[in-house]
Amino acid sequence: MMKKTIYIYLIIFMNKRSRPTMHFSINRDYFINQLNHVARAIPGKAAIPVLTGMKLELKSDRLILTGSDASISIESVIETSQEAAQLQVTTPGSIVLSARLFIDIVRKLPTNQVEIQVQDHYNVQLTSGKAVFTIQGVDSSQYPVLPETDEDKPVTLPGLLFKKLINQTIFSASNQENRPILTGLNLSFHDGYLTGVATDSHRLSKRDIPIKDLNPSLKGLNITIPKKTVIELTRILDDESNVTFYVMAQQLVFHFDNLVIYSRLLEGTFPDTSRLIPTTYNTELTVNTQSFSQALERAALLVHVAKSNVVQLKMSQGSVALLVQGISIGQSTEELSYDSLEGDDLTIAFNPDYMRDAVKSFGDTTIKLGFISGERPLLLREDKVEEGHNDLIQLLTPIRTHHA
Amino acid sequence: MMKKTIYIYLIIFMNKRSRPTMHFSINRDYFINQLNHVARAIPGKAAIPVLTGMKLELKSDRLILTGSDASISIESVIETSQEAAQLQVTTPGSIVLSARLFIDIVRKLPTNQVEIQVQDHYNVQLTSGKAVFTIQGVDSSQYPVLPETDEDKPVTLPGLLFKKLINQTIFSASNQENRPILTGLNLSFHDGYLTGVATDSHRLSKRDIPIKDLNPSLKGLNITIPKKTVIELTRILDDESNVTFYVMAQQLVFHFDNLVIYSRLLEGTFPDTSRLIPTTYNTELTVNTQSFSQALERAALLVHVAKSNVVQLKMSQGSVALLVQGISIGQSTEELSYDSLEGDDLTIAFNPDYMRDAVKSFGDTTIKLGFISGERPLLLREDKVEEGHNDLIQLLTPIRTHHA
């Protein structure tokens, strides 16, 4: 009788002093992999300090890791049913931990099993083999709540194809915040295909990919995704996975594997760029992307040291050359090999790095460069036998020089 | 007759306008390799601007590349007889070229043959395939003359052994210039062996290696080599090569393969450290270097974030633990596995990074840590079955703490 009384008293006492303590164990290698994904969204420094932390939320059947920089959030959902995770839930709960320190510790733990338990005062104990770490956590109620999502009208694409669209366009997005809409990747939904466009007003990249079974209500939809979101997506998304996304009023949610990425959308109207794209040319040059790209890299050497940004392409009487001149440290010339040169003689100047990005986006193939004059944008497209629609085009504004 | 007159006139005219023009061709891959070696001595910025350049000196049978930061100079001698170099000398001469730009260009040239020719006004033309670069060089007479060397009384050592001596000691050298002599590696020559010592007064590393056929006049010689020199030596010297060095009044010259390294010596007297090394201990701990090193790495995690530098090793009643405590962000403890523990109970505090450097210097093996007290330097040595001379010892000064 006496014993029982004491027992009840202790229960009451503990309830007053402590909260339900999160407690689980997990396979370290699997955990590290998920931590690394989620950490991609977590800034090193943040105006809201809790955002430098990672939130761990443990339910009876799953662990949810969240990282966010307010513009992009990444969630990893690890379920007890995933065998490789070896997740064992003792007590549900939640906590926020300093992301960098937490990941550093987990990475260096001595065994492949890690046990994590929240103690009093948000102290968190990590145990692995004979090593025991105790670090200070933060009450998870301080962590911002992610917006509610309305997972309606999904769009599903093969991961590899969507990554290709991103990689072939995003380098043309602006890095300057004076026109925020130009810092993103614009996606527009058409009948049977999706178009991605990025431009900083000096260059433009445009890629179409086919899309099946698009919900009719999405036709005509036009959204612009922040550059950081699509870059992180290319880094995390597996080639073999499908990615499903949901478009909401001001945000976008990507689902793939056990990950969820929330991203804000850029506000404003993306400029209509279709009228900029030329259809007829006065000069056309057909080249192999690899040899042209290597020549551009060489031409850029002196240009970079001189902090100039001008290389000239001189097409004259059947000869094609890249020239760097007019800078004090030196000059260079290189005769280019080419497949064909048609139309008027022309000299045109451009930024060699922009041209190289554009050329490399086609992969190892043969491309056509179409020119109108030394002052008008030039167009790059794949050199296909059957003419018609170009899946990928790159547009580049020339630089006016005294030499041109 | 008329033709001949004009011809002579041109010769005279050219002689007045131009200097003998250096002209050669060489295999690019071989050249890049040598350029990279020599570039190690060349500073990115220098009080004497010409030192950011590389000197090329072409003789009828060899090309000498020189880089220098006034404290260390590296020369590569490429002879026409070295088949892989494919060096073809057209006209001897010399020039100084901006090292970084020159190497960047050579690295990206389109073919594996490069032709280099000095033109008027120290302009240098680099040609490879269809690419032609012209960059501005500098008159080589502006480049400092390397000191005369007196290549007498050579000392020759196997490259691997000398690199091992350097790697096992140099981390203990000081980074602080208030006692310049402690920023180097001290070498002293004894009967049959050579001793390398580095110390920053908080820790000390000492390694002996055998030396054969030492010139008797070198016995008792004591020199201190700048840290940068020995670090560069470990990076360039092949394990399989022998290195020969010559000691002069204020400098040292290393020869190996086709390279020559000139280094100044540090001035002053290196402190006699032999009396610091304890020979008896009150506590002795025998551990495996790998497991101890990994535990130290874990213990350093919180210490680094807290910008503290203290880890405690607690040896008590047959239990050995690494403890991190007294910092706000958290704490850690780890029970260590060990081979044997003898003598008095002891708790001692030290910098975990210093301890880890010391432990790792032994490679994967078993070592003994010998302690006198928590305030006296502790000694690390290899745990050998046959006792006697220790080729390598590491000495570490403990940190006094409130917890110790």
Side-chain angles (χ1 to χ4, degrees), chain B residues 233-252:
Chain B
L233 198 62
T234 60
R235 291 185 179 147
I236 307 181
L237 180 57
D238 268 346
D239 286 356
E240 289 74 31
S241 298
N242 280 321
V243 57
T244 297
F245 59 93
Y246 306 90
V247 183
M248 274 149 283
Q250 302 194 345
Q251 72 165 333
L252 189 63

Side-chain angles (χ1 to χ4, degrees), chain A residues 29-44:
Chain A
D29 290 348
Y30 187 92
F31 197 38
I32 291 171
N33 203 16
Q34 299 304 312
L35 292 174
N36 287 340
H37 287 331
V38 173
R40 293 199 156 276
I42 302 175

Side-chain angles (χ1 to χ4, degrees), chain A residues 70-72 180-181 183-187 189 221-227 229-230 245-254 262-268:
Chain A
S71 164
I72 178 173
I181 193 77
T183 62
L185 171 66
N186 180 257
L187 293 185
F189 296 79
L221 183 70
N222 189 303
I223 57 172
T224 306
I225 314 172
K227 185 183 203 164
T229 302
V230 293
F245 58 94
Y246 305 91
V247 182
M248 273 148 284
Q250 300 194 346
Q251 71 166 334
L252 190 63
V253 184
F254 295 97
Y262 300 77
S263 172
R264 69 183 174 99
L265 290 173
L266 294 177
E267 285 176 54

